[in-house]
Amino acid sequence: MKNIFFNAHHSPAGAFATFTLGYPDASGGFGIELGKPADHDVYVGLESVDGSAFELLPFFDDHNAGRERERYEVDAATHADTSSTAEGHLASDFIPDDSEPWITGFDHEQIRRDFQVGSDTWSAGDLTFTIHTSMPAIPDPDTASVDALRLPLLPAVAVEVTVDNRGCDRARRALFGFRGSDPYCGMRNIVGPNQIRGVGQGRRVAIMSADVDVRPGLGFQLADILRPKHPEDLDFGLGICGALTFDVPAGVVRTVRFAVCFYRDGIATSGLDGRYYYTRLFRDIEEVGAYALDHFDELTLASREADAVIDNSNLSDDQRFMLAHAIHSYYGNTQLLDVDGRPVWVVNEGEYRMMNTFDLTVDQLFFEMKLNPWCVKNVLDLYVERYSYRDQVAFPGEDSLHPGGLSFTHDMGVANVFSRPGYSSYERPGLHGCFSYMTHEQLVNWVCTAGCYLAQTGDWSWYRKQESVFRDCLQSLLNRDHPDANHRNGLMGLDSSRTRGGTEITTYDSLDASLGQARNNVYMATKTWACYLALEAVFEHAGEVGLAQTSSEQAERCAQSIVASADVDGRLPALIGEGNTAGIISAIEGLVMPYYMGLSDCISPTGRFGALVRAMSRHLRAVLMPGVCLFPDGGWKLSSTSDNSWLSKIYLCQFVAREILGIDGADITRNADAAHVAWLVDQKCGYHAWSDQMVAGHALGSRYYPRGVTAILWLDEGSRESKQEARAKTFVYHRNRNRKAKPVAAQPAA
Amino acid sequence: MKNIFFNAHHSPAGAFATFTLGYPDASGGFGIELGKPADHDVYVGLESVDGSAFELLPFFDDHNAGRERERYEVDAATHADTSSTAEGHLASDFIPDDSEPWITGFDHEQIRRDFQVGSDTWSAGDLTFTIHTSMPAIPDPDTASVDALRLPLLPAVAVEVTVDNRGCDRARRALFGFRGSDPYCGMRNIVGPNQIRGVGQGRRVAIMSADVDVRPGLGFQLADILRPKHPEDLDFGLGICGALTFDVPAGVVRTVRFAVCFYRDGIATSGLDGRYYYTRLFRDIEEVGAYALDHFDELTLASREADAVIDNSNLSDDQRFMLAHAIHSYYGNTQLLDVDGRPVWVVNEGEYRMMNTFDLTVDQLFFEMKLNPWCVKNVLDLYVERYSYRDQVAFPGEDSLHPGGLSFTHDMGVANVFSRPGYSSYERPGLHGCFSYMTHEQLVNWVCTAGCYLAQTGDWSWYRKQESVFRDCLQSLLNRDHPDANHRNGLMGLDSSRTRGGTEITTYDSLDASLGQARNNVYMATKTWACYLALEAVFEHAGEVGLAQTSSEQAERCAQSIVASADVDGRLPALIGEGNTAGIISAIEGLVMPYYMGLSDCISPTGRFGALVRAMSRHLRAVLMPGVCLFPDGGWKLSSTSDNSWLSKIYLCQFVAREILGIDGADITRNADAAHVAWLVDQKCGYHAWSDQMVAGHALGSRYYPRGVTAILWLDEGSRESKQEARAKTFVYHRNRNRKAKPVAAQPAA
């Protein structure tokens, strides 16, 4: 049995908000803009059949109860023996009672969870608790009407609580509530128009319902709300717990609808002054709740439709779980801002909260292209406008500088602070490891992301706006290979002057040099090859014959360099020509790009780059071995020399292995996936929802993270023919492009 | 030597914001809307003469350093032995270094503090650090211009850092910075126009300077900012520490000016939608900083003027200290809101954050009347409009209800949540102690506060608006005495129906019944007497002869009841006629009101209520004895039966004892004040800045509290003649009143 008590995000789109739930104790709750769970007590429960107790799902901490009142009742707190006060009765009214034995948790064994991408359903005894989210496609705010934006950008999550009281001859009370943690504002009851009732904290988070007879209540502890001595006690403003309760008559099944709502008022970011886009659509959290409850059917329908996307796939149970889990975490990190009327799309980086980290953008690309291609363009544009820079480059160990060129920053800021133009929050000079510059990686990422965007949307009007950027990117890539065209090998050979004597790193910043060093890295090489292919295709379409030709030649040089580096067993060294012979799975990563740009011939073992594709197959087979790139449990180890392996990249490489290289089997799928699932739901790691950096199977970094949506690629796997057909429909670029010159990246292979 | 390491607020007016500093370790910092110190590391320091170290004031915690980077460098963190990673150099760049031995704290013995109401100056070695605040009078926003409001409502505090480098032949670096704790937003550097440089967190708090060559920097730890390897490292956006540094050339003295700024955007409160009034005056925190630095001279002048107010007084050092400390804490709790264009004045209740708690308002009255009388009116009006109610009343132990009347709630909400109309956040039915209703207390508080406001301002146009409220208050008081006029004794005899069988309490909610029970309480009795005097005087002025007469008679009945309750030793029982013979100092509290309403005859031992005044003197002399109402250390014990004694009330009663009852001596002043100071600066209690509830000398409740400004009364003590003269000038009401009928509350005694 898989452990079901892991946290998952349940999030609207673009609100950087989450109802996180699933890990035991006060480990979930209602978070806005946090890099971790809010650690609220979340109360979901039902009175027992005999009325003697309340049984709750295990998402609260008994030890939190009862302490609050001590701050007010100084005498009572200091006189445990009440007889020592003169009159006794005053102090004894409120001797703190830490434990209410009639508030208990359901036995874990009694609890079932059905975790899907849209719905997450907990059931125990006669109680069922479902959180509904979906995978909304957000219309481009620049062209969509306000009405069309309200539902997809609604900062709320739908929740249903069902009580089956058919087996009971008395009414039973059920509850849904929480204990907040906002440092600035108190808890409150909400009594709105249209019968809306709610509990919330300040103006930021709230649970609301419009169902009849749902009662809001506040108290120092949950017990005060469930069994108030007087109805007025429910309005106790000093309460730090809030819950909505309702009664279910004997013999009936009742479902009550709740909206979990979020609202962050005012200007939320600095550097660029951004407010949440939803603040244009809803005046305050009450309006959010009213809209959500008024459109509840649409929300639950969207949840079911999301479930169906994965239900109708050919994925295994393990795959379904990981894809769903990753999508939950992705939405929790999304943030749509309004900066002086302009929409700005941000994906925050999980526990680190860096904004639009570019090496995540390039991986989340495949997910966003399916739902919100305009978000991809939005990010690319802001990178050009504000987060691009020009540098010089140097050979390792040399001081003399050569022309460099255009590149892009690692990120756009951190934790709602946009960094200054031309600089990320992350990169620093003089380093060889973590926090060094990722100049080449982000240059490649811009081109690959832009190439996919163009290929799949055919948005050539955008290309024309960014034409010079594409040209500058090519020149920058060339300069980073070798200042002398005759010595170019397609690989990155020089480091940015911004490193000030350091060395550039890759996205794998916390790994050793096998994946961490950018220069001559075979992971970077394959992505660079893909990048040249993108430029070739784009320039070709644009009639830039010379630039297309240059790009084509560089792609071929790069492929040759990679192929030539293989050892006698077919293994490619992590660092080409640098003596680092670690084996890295990520060598194959870049193959995904031509696939999604529709450049099928380029990834065919018999096509234009057949030698490279075959080299990749041989390499992967060589390293995907126990003790090399497989952990003892069957999980994938991205580098043979590091225990730090990243799930998002594993997902991507699994796709490449199966769909492009045709390598499948237990290692690729069943054994590995079982191990990966075990990592995620591990009793320690499960707190962090979906996490990326797994050190020997333990989530130690990149936790609470959005990047796992690379698993969306799995949905595109299948029989080659049907997939080709699907792609032919999807890949607008490929369909529309006006082919010229030589047929690089030509027809999809039959 | 007094312990100098206690926290004090340093706050602008009306921003609910504080730069709290003074307690060792990470115990102070920049708080907005908090009920406790922000617990930031605050960095204030100077390079040592030999350049080998940086010496800091002790307001940071060494253990906070260095942990942050581990979250990013997973491999480094998991491989303490770097040789176990393949390439070594990547991980070893950033092995966390928890301790930077060259960052040290000054020896505590080296540090001096000059704590005043305006300036708080720390000096150690060649470093001097001064925080400037003042006691701004805020013009009434309804009539003042925006320009007149900017300076008094500026949400910023001025700080000067002076380095005396005359004894050193090299340049030395100094610093001022912090490590923030906002859960939502990251730290940032600020590079503004006009040479402004700053470090801040999100858009809420920032330190800014416009002095030349002041450099902002961010880092995982302070060391990274003080000695960056590369200048660019100072822009490391992931830094959780921020500091401004500047260099002082050899041989010179340099003072650098800083503005500590606060800003809370958007709607801040719920229940009533309020935004900070200053958001009408300043667009964002950058604008606040620019204005503060542009008006720095005015800010430091205001600080010096505030200092002079106390310097020029006759207070003892202990008194000066407590008054200054209390004023600091008061401003930190003030909040001026804009609710749909209407100014709403709120004083938050320290650690509890209840809003405009009425039993605090009535004590803070004396302070506010000197500076901002319109604030008093503002609070009274909102109590009438939104936080008044009508009840019925019952005799103890009886179910049958009698007519009650108008009263007011205990508070207006808590922690930025305005409670619903007619209800406080605090009061609950069915109780006999803490959290019960304070119906009678708050009724008395409204009348006393309104009476003082009228007496001192002569604002009879306001009276005319609230005329019916005054009438209803009188009727309500009568009904709470006895339903049958023939049985009235001037005391509270019935409890509110809102208690639902419970009993009303007083502001002394956490004490035993000697002060906690309202009915028949001698503390409440004296205040009720004062309340009738206020009504008598007000109605008399208004020509309401009958009502004045009724009020007069009730005052006399009340006085007689009190006087008659004395035992053979002259001691008044805490509860008149209820067998509780505890001795309470607070019996004398109510005498302050006629004093400040200019009703001098009423508080003369030879005047109209001479018997009462003399009874009070005898009572106080009887209880102010070791083992009764004096703690062993000489501190005042408000009730003989409780160890919980409240400093704000002690201050007030000290004033009454000396100035009205003419009782002075070591017990009243020197011994007692020394004890009270020791309580406040106690090594444990000092964390909470000024605190009210002292249990046997330890601050266990009402910490971080605004109420201590009752000490402002001390400034009005002095020779009787000069004071009478001063009052004759101050008490506009008394001067202007159109005397009619019998001369109740007549001329000031000669």
Side-chain angles (χ1 to χ4, degrees):
Chain A
M1 276 296 291
K2 197 175 73 181
N3 171 32
I4 61 171
F5 296 103
F6 57 87
N7 264 337
H9 285 81
H10 305 85
S11 299
F16 197 3
T18 173
F19 175 21
T20 293
L21 200 76
Y23 196 77
D25 302 329
S27 307
F30 310 106
I32 300 185
E33 304 175 338
L34 300 180
K36 58 182 274 300
D39 294 343
H40 293 159
D41 289 297
V42 177
Y43 306 115
V44 180
L46 175 63
E47 203 173 351
S48 61
V49 172
D50 65 2
S52 66
F54 278 83
E55 292 175 302
L56 272 65
L57 294 176
F59 308 128
F60 66 103
D61 183 349
D62 277 328
H63 303 296
N64 287 333
R67 298 283 169 208
E68 177 68 2
R69 62 165 65 127
E70 291 180 17
R71 295 200 303 125
Y72 296 84
E73 299 176 285
V74 172
D75 259 14
T78 54
H79 291 88
D81 174 8
T82 58
S83 66
S84 70
T85 62
E87 298 304 307
H89 74 270
L90 286 177
S92 63
D93 269 353
F94 270 96
I95 297 303
D97 180 359
D98 286 339
S99 60
E100 293 289 354
W102 50 275
I103 296 181
T104 65
F106 284 106
D107 286 344
H108 284 209
E109 294 69 30
Q110 261 189 283
I111 303 173
R112 298 287 172 273
R113 182 182 195 176
D114 179 13
F115 177 72
Q116 301 203 42
V117 68
S119 62
D120 188 5
T121 302
W122 298 83
S123 48
D126 296 325
L127 177 77
T128 306
F129 179 80
T130 303
I131 312 171
H132 294 283
T133 52
S134 63
M135 295 190 286
I138 305 165
D140 184 344
D142 279 341
T143 54
S145 71
V146 162
D147 274 351
L149 289 167
R150 279 218 178 91
L151 202 65
L153 289 178
L154 178 72
V157 166
V159 167
E160 289 177 301
V161 178
T162 299
V163 173
D164 182 348
N165 206 25
R166 287 175 299 183
C168 181
D169 59 4
R170 46 184 297 286
R172 281 199 281 170
R173 180 163 295 176
L175 65 132
F176 177 26
F178 74 112
R179 189 177 62 91
S181 62
D182 181 75
Y184 308 120
C185 288
M187 298 289 292
R188 64 180 178 121
N189 285 339
I190 296 169
V191 179
N194 301 322
Q195 208 170 267
I196 288 179
R197 297 290 179 271
V199 291
Q201 187 163 35
R203 308 174 66 90
R204 294 176 69 96
V205 299
I207 308 172
M208 296 188 225
S209 179
D211 282 27
V212 287
D213 298 334
V214 171
R215 287 175 306 277
L218 301 179
F220 279 150
Q221 53 191 340
L222 182 62
D224 304 336
I225 305 168
L226 296 182
R227 293 181 176 171
K229 287 185 186 163
H230 303 272
E232 297 93 329
D233 287 344
L234 295 176
D235 285 305
F236 186 45
L238 306 184
I240 55 173
C241 302
L244 293 164
T245 60
F246 61 94
D247 297 329
V248 184
V252 308
V253 179
R254 181 180 180 190
T255 295
V256 170
R257 296 170 155 198
F258 298 93
V260 167
C261 307
F262 305 93
Y263 202 91
R264 202 291 196 204
D265 190 23
I267 299 178
T269 58
S270 54
L272 288 174
D273 290 358
R275 54 180 66 242
Y276 282 88
Y277 206 90
Y278 62 68
T279 64
R280 293 172 63 147
L281 313 173
F282 305 99
R283 205 185 71 84
D284 55 25
I285 199 166
E286 282 85 352
E287 212 171 286
V288 169
Y291 190 91
L293 295 166
D294 213 35
H295 294 74
F296 205 89
D297 287 338
E298 292 161 73
L299 295 173
T300 52
L301 176 65
S303 162
R304 283 192 298 273
E305 286 174 350
D307 288 347
V309 168
I310 295 187
D311 275 348
N312 298 335
S313 74
N314 293 321
L315 302 190
S316 71
D317 285 349
D318 283 338
Q319 287 181 314
R320 287 170 189 224
F321 167 74
M322 288 190 282
L323 174 56
H325 200 18
I327 292 172
H328 279 272
S329 282
Y330 171 82
Y331 276 104
N333 282 286
T334 59
Q335 182 176 37
L336 182 59
L337 299 170
D338 165 10
V339 177
D340 290 332
R342 169 185 174 171
V344 171
W345 177 254
V346 175
V347 180
N348 290 277
E349 194 187 341
E351 67 165 308
Y352 306 126
R353 293 190 291 179
M354 282 180 277
M355 302 161 81
N356 284 334
T357 307
F358 213 157
D359 37 308
L360 271 71
T361 302
V362 73
D363 291 332
Q364 292 151 190
L365 166 69
F366 312 107
F367 185 80
E368 295 190 339
M369 284 308 300
K370 288 191 192 302
L371 288 162
N372 309 307
W374 71 266
C375 292
V376 174
K377 178 173 70 171
N378 187 279
V379 172
L380 288 170
D381 282 344
L382 191 57
Y383 264 109
V384 171
E385 275 177 55
R386 185 175 164 102
Y387 292 106
S388 57
Y389 62 91
R390 287 166 196 279
D391 64 355
Q392 295 176 286
V393 292
F395 285 105
E398 290 186 9
D399 288 337
S400 61
L401 295 174
H402 303 274
L406 181 68
S407 188
F408 306 90
T409 60
H410 166 269
D411 58 72
M412 298 182 175
V414 60
N416 286 342
V417 177
F418 280 98
S419 53
R420 66 202 193 286
Y423 288 88
S424 67
S425 67
Y426 171 100
E427 289 154 312
R428 295 166 58 176
L431 300 176
H432 300 279
C434 202
F435 311 119
S436 184
Y437 274 86
M438 296 190 194
T439 310
H440 197 275
E441 161 105 36
Q442 308 307 1
L443 172 59
V444 165
N445 288 342
W446 195 93
V447 173
C448 286
T449 305
C452 270
Y453 172 75
L454 282 176
Q456 295 191 26
T457 63
D459 182 2
W460 290 96
S461 67
W462 179 77
Y463 168 78
R464 281 187 292 277
K465 283 184 212 145
Q466 302 292 7
E467 208 168 2
S468 69
V469 177
F470 281 90
R471 273 198 294 267
D472 290 352
C473 284
L474 175 59
Q475 188 57 51
S476 186
L477 280 162
L478 296 174
N479 289 349
R480 286 162 214 284
D481 179 342
H482 199 288
D484 181 347
N486 296 319
H487 289 84
R488 289 185 186 142
N489 63 0
L491 307 178
M492 171 191 162
L494 296 90
D495 287 289
S496 172
S497 54
R498 282 206 171 184
T499 67
R500 300 270 298 274
T503 45
E504 285 181 36
I505 59 173
T506 73
T507 184
Y508 295 100
D509 58 353
S510 68
L511 269 77
D512 66 29
S514 67
L515 267 170
Q517 177 185 311
R519 195 186 60 248
N520 289 322
N521 196 298
V522 69
Y523 147 76
M524 187 56 65
T526 315
K527 269 180 91 166
T528 305
W529 165 79
C531 172
Y532 282 123
L533 291 182
L535 288 171
E536 178 192 18
V538 167
F539 288 133
E540 190 182 305
H541 179 281
E544 298 275 9
V545 180
L547 296 175
Q549 177 68 29
T550 303
S551 304
S552 168
E553 287 164 10
Q554 280 294 103
E556 280 160 15
R557 285 195 187 101
C558 184
Q560 284 158 16
S561 298
I562 296 171
V563 171
S565 73
D567 69 11
V568 288
D569 300 321
R571 255 175 72 156
L572 303 169
L575 302 179
I576 297 174
E578 297 211 12
N580 182 319
T581 58
I584 57 172
I585 291 175
S586 310
I588 68 172
E589 206 179 303
L591 294 174
V592 72
M593 288 298 169
Y595 180 98
Y596 276 95
M597 291 188 283
L599 307 174
S600 305
D601 181 57
C602 296
I603 49 172
S604 160
T606 58
R608 179 177 160 208
F609 292 99
L612 177 68
V613 176
R614 293 190 303 273
M616 289 290 164
S617 293
R618 289 183 64 205
H619 169 71
L620 183 63
R621 287 180 207 277
V623 298
L624 208 58
M625 307 274 283
V628 186
C629 288
L630 285 178
F631 286 105
D633 62 3
W636 280 26
K637 192 167 185 291
L638 288 178
S639 164
S640 65
T641 56
S642 175
D643 276 349
N644 189 351
S645 200
W646 296 13
L647 277 177
S648 64
K649 295 294 202 177
I650 291 174
Y651 297 166
L652 194 163
C653 290
Q654 285 183 314
F655 168 81
V656 170
R658 287 187 296 250
E659 178 71 1
I660 299 177
L661 301 180
I663 299 174
D664 203 345
D667 292 344
I668 307 293
T669 305
R670 286 193 310 280
N671 294 357
D673 286 341
H676 302 153
V677 169
W679 298 352
L680 283 171
V681 301
D682 173 277
Q683 288 200 346
K684 276 185 191 161
C685 309
Y687 171 74
H688 303 287
W690 192 91
S691 294
D692 204 6
Q693 292 195 37
M694 298 287 179
V695 177
H698 298 284
L700 295 184
S702 298
R703 294 163 296 198
Y704 215 56
Y705 217 62
R707 198 186 213 168
V709 289
T710 48
I712 199 74
L713 297 168
W714 300 339
L715 290 182
D716 289 336
E717 293 180 46
S719 73
R720 291 247 162 182
E721 280 90 49
S722 69
K723 279 297 152 190
Q724 295 297 359
E725 198 181 316
R727 272 206 304 286
K729 282 185 202 140
T730 311
F731 294 170
V732 182
Y733 157 65
H734 200 74
R735 236 181 30 240
N736 294 354
R737 62 190 281 227
N738 173 18
R739 240 174 275 125
K740 295 187 185 178
K742 63 172 187 175
V744 182
Q747 306 283 15
Chain B
M1 275 300 288
K2 196 176 72 181
N3 170 34
I4 62 171
F5 296 103
F6 58 86
N7 264 337
H9 285 81
H10 305 87
S11 300
F16 198 0
T18 174
F19 174 20
T20 294
L21 200 75
Y23 196 78
D25 301 328
S27 308
F30 309 105
I32 300 185
E33 305 176 335
L34 300 180
K36 57 182 276 300
D39 294 343
H40 293 159
D41 288 297
V42 176
Y43 307 115
V44 179
L46 175 63
E47 202 171 353
S48 61
V49 172
D50 66 2
S52 65
F54 278 82
E55 291 173 301
L56 273 62
L57 295 176
F59 307 127
F60 66 104
D61 183 350
D62 277 330
H63 302 296
N64 288 333
R67 297 284 169 205
E68 178 67 3
R69 61 168 64 128
E70 291 180 15
R71 296 200 302 125
Y72 296 83
E73 299 175 285
V74 172
D75 260 14
T78 54
H79 292 87
D81 173 9
T82 58
S83 65
S84 70
T85 62
E87 299 304 309
H89 74 271
L90 285 178
S92 64
D93 268 352
F94 270 97
I95 295 304
D97 180 358
D98 287 339
S99 60
E100 294 288 356
W102 51 273
I103 296 182
T104 64
F106 284 107
D107 286 341
H108 284 209
E109 294 69 30
Q110 262 190 283
I111 303 173
R112 297 287 172 271
R113 182 181 195 176
D114 179 13
F115 177 71
Q116 302 202 42
V117 68
S119 62
D120 187 5
T121 302
W122 298 83
S123 49
D126 297 324
L127 178 77
T128 306
F129 179 79
T130 303
I131 312 172
H132 294 284
T133 51
S134 62
M135 295 189 286
I138 305 164
D140 184 345
D142 278 341
T143 54
S145 71
V146 163
D147 274 350
L149 289 167
R150 278 218 180 91
L151 202 64
L153 290 178
L154 179 71
V157 166
V159 167
E160 289 178 300
V161 179
T162 300
V163 173
D164 182 347
N165 206 24
R166 287 174 300 181
C168 181
D169 59 4
R170 46 185 296 285
R172 281 199 281 170
R173 180 163 294 177
L175 66 131
F176 177 28
F178 74 112
R179 188 178 62 92
S181 63
D182 181 77
Y184 308 120
C185 288
M187 298 289 293
R188 66 181 176 120
N189 286 340
I190 296 168
V191 179
N194 302 322
Q195 207 169 270
I196 288 179
R197 298 289 180 270
V199 291
Q201 186 163 36
R203 307 174 67 89
R204 292 177 69 96
V205 299
I207 308 172
M208 297 188 223
S209 180
D211 282 27
V212 287
D213 298 333
V214 171
R215 287 174 306 276
L218 300 179
F220 279 149
Q221 52 191 342
L222 182 62
D224 303 337
I225 304 168
L226 296 182
R227 293 182 176 171
K229 288 185 185 165
H230 302 272
E232 297 93 327
D233 287 343
L234 294 176
D235 285 306
F236 186 45
L238 305 185
I240 55 173
C241 302
L244 292 164
T245 61
F246 61 94
D247 296 329
V248 183
V252 308
V253 179
R254 181 179 182 193
T255 295
V256 171
R257 297 169 155 199
F258 298 93
V260 167
C261 307
F262 305 93
Y263 202 92
R264 200 289 194 206
D265 189 24
I267 299 179
T269 59
S270 54
L272 289 173
D273 291 357
R275 54 179 67 243
Y276 282 89
Y277 205 91
Y278 61 68
T279 63
R280 292 172 65 147
L281 312 173
F282 305 98
R283 209 185 69 86
D284 55 24
I285 199 165
E286 283 84 352
E287 213 171 284
V288 169
Y291 189 91
L293 295 165
D294 214 34
H295 294 74
F296 205 88
D297 289 337
E298 292 161 75
L299 295 173
T300 53
L301 177 63
S303 162
R304 282 193 297 273
E305 286 174 348
D307 288 347
V309 169
I310 295 186
D311 275 348
N312 298 335
S313 74
N314 294 320
L315 302 190
S316 71
D317 285 350
D318 283 339
Q319 287 182 313
R320 287 170 190 225
F321 167 73
M322 288 190 282
L323 174 56
H325 200 18
I327 292 172
H328 278 272
S329 282
Y330 171 82
Y331 276 104
N333 283 285
T334 59
Q335 182 177 37
L336 182 58
L337 298 170
D338 165 10
V339 177
D340 289 332
R342 169 184 175 173
V344 171
W345 177 254
V346 175
V347 180
N348 290 277
E349 194 187 341
E351 66 164 312
Y352 306 125
R353 292 190 291 179
M354 282 179 276
M355 302 162 81
N356 284 334
T357 307
F358 212 157
D359 36 307
L360 272 72
T361 301
V362 75
D363 291 331
Q364 293 150 192
L365 167 68
F366 312 106
F367 185 81
E368 294 190 340
M369 283 309 300
K370 289 190 191 301
L371 289 162
N372 309 307
W374 71 267
C375 292
V376 175
K377 179 174 68 171
N378 188 278
V379 171
L380 288 170
D381 282 344
L382 192 56
Y383 264 109
V384 171
E385 275 176 56
R386 185 175 164 101
Y387 292 106
S388 57
Y389 62 91
R390 286 166 197 277
D391 64 355
Q392 294 176 284
V393 292
F395 285 104
E398 291 186 10
D399 288 337
S400 61
L401 295 173
H402 303 274
L406 180 68
S407 187
F408 305 90
T409 61
H410 166 270
D411 59 70
M412 298 182 174
V414 59
N416 286 342
V417 177
F418 280 98
S419 53
R420 67 203 193 286
Y423 288 88
S424 68
S425 67
Y426 171 99
E427 289 155 311
R428 296 165 59 175
L431 300 176
H432 300 279
C434 202
F435 310 120
S436 184
Y437 274 86
M438 296 190 196
T439 310
H440 196 275
E441 162 105 36
Q442 309 307 359
L443 172 60
V444 166
N445 289 341
W446 194 92
V447 173
C448 287
T449 305
C452 272
Y453 172 76
L454 281 176
Q456 297 192 24
T457 62
D459 183 1
W460 290 97
S461 66
W462 179 77
Y463 168 77
R464 283 186 291 278
K465 282 185 213 145
Q466 302 293 5
E467 208 168 1
S468 68
V469 177
F470 281 89
R471 273 199 292 268
D472 291 351
C473 285
L474 174 58
Q475 188 58 52
S476 186
L477 281 163
L478 297 174
N479 289 347
R480 284 162 215 283
D481 181 341
H482 199 287
D484 181 347
N486 296 318
H487 289 84
R488 287 181 188 144
N489 64 359
L491 307 178
M492 172 192 161
L494 296 90
D495 287 289
S496 172
S497 54
R498 281 204 171 185
T499 66
R500 301 269 299 274
T503 44
E504 285 183 34
I505 58 172
T506 74
T507 183
Y508 294 102
D509 59 352
S510 69
L511 268 79
D512 65 31
S514 68
L515 267 170
Q517 177 184 311
R519 197 185 59 247
N520 290 321
N521 196 297
V522 69
Y523 147 75
M524 187 55 64
T526 316
K527 270 179 90 166
T528 305
W529 165 78
C531 172
Y532 281 123
L533 292 182
L535 288 172
E536 179 192 17
V538 167
F539 287 133
E540 192 182 304
H541 179 280
E544 299 273 9
V545 179
L547 296 176
Q549 178 67 27
T550 303
S551 304
S552 168
E553 288 164 8
Q554 280 296 103
E556 280 161 15
R557 284 193 188 103
C558 184
Q560 285 157 14
S561 298
I562 296 171
V563 170
S565 74
D567 68 12
V568 288
D569 301 323
R571 254 175 73 158
L572 304 169
L575 302 179
I576 297 174
E578 296 210 11
N580 183 317
T581 58
I584 58 171
I585 292 175
S586 309
I588 68 172
E589 207 179 302
L591 294 174
V592 73
M593 288 298 168
Y595 180 99
Y596 275 96
M597 290 187 285
L599 308 174
S600 305
D601 181 57
C602 296
I603 49 171
S604 161
T606 59
R608 179 178 161 209
F609 292 98
L612 177 69
V613 175
R614 293 191 303 274
M616 290 287 163
S617 293
R618 290 183 64 203
H619 169 72
L620 184 63
R621 288 181 208 275
V623 299
L624 209 58
M625 308 272 283
V628 186
C629 287
L630 285 177
F631 286 105
D633 62 3
W636 281 25
K637 191 167 184 288
L638 289 178
S639 164
S640 64
T641 56
S642 175
D643 277 349
N644 189 350
S645 201
W646 296 12
L647 277 176
S648 63
K649 295 295 201 175
I650 292 174
Y651 297 166
L652 194 163
C653 291
Q654 286 183 314
F655 168 80
V656 171
R658 288 188 297 250
E659 180 70 2
I660 300 178
L661 302 181
I663 300 174
D664 204 344
D667 291 345
I668 307 294
T669 305
R670 287 194 308 280
N671 293 356
D673 286 343
H676 303 153
V677 169
W679 299 352
L680 284 170
V681 303
D682 172 277
Q683 289 199 347
K684 276 185 191 161
C685 309
Y687 169 74
H688 303 287
W690 192 91
S691 294
D692 205 5
Q693 293 194 39
M694 297 289 179
V695 178
H698 298 285
L700 295 184
S702 298
R703 294 164 295 200
Y704 214 55
Y705 218 61
R707 199 187 214 167
V709 288
T710 48
I712 198 75
L713 298 169
W714 301 339
L715 291 182
D716 289 336
E717 292 181 47
S719 73
R720 291 245 161 181
E721 281 89 51
S722 69
K723 277 298 152 188
Q724 295 297 357
E725 198 182 316
R727 272 206 303 285
K729 281 185 205 141
T730 312
F731 294 169
V732 182
Y733 156 65
H734 200 73
R735 244 190 10 250
N736 294 353
R737 62 189 282 225
N738 173 17
R739 243 174 273 130
K740 294 186 187 181
K742 62 172 186 174
V744 182
Q747 307 284 12

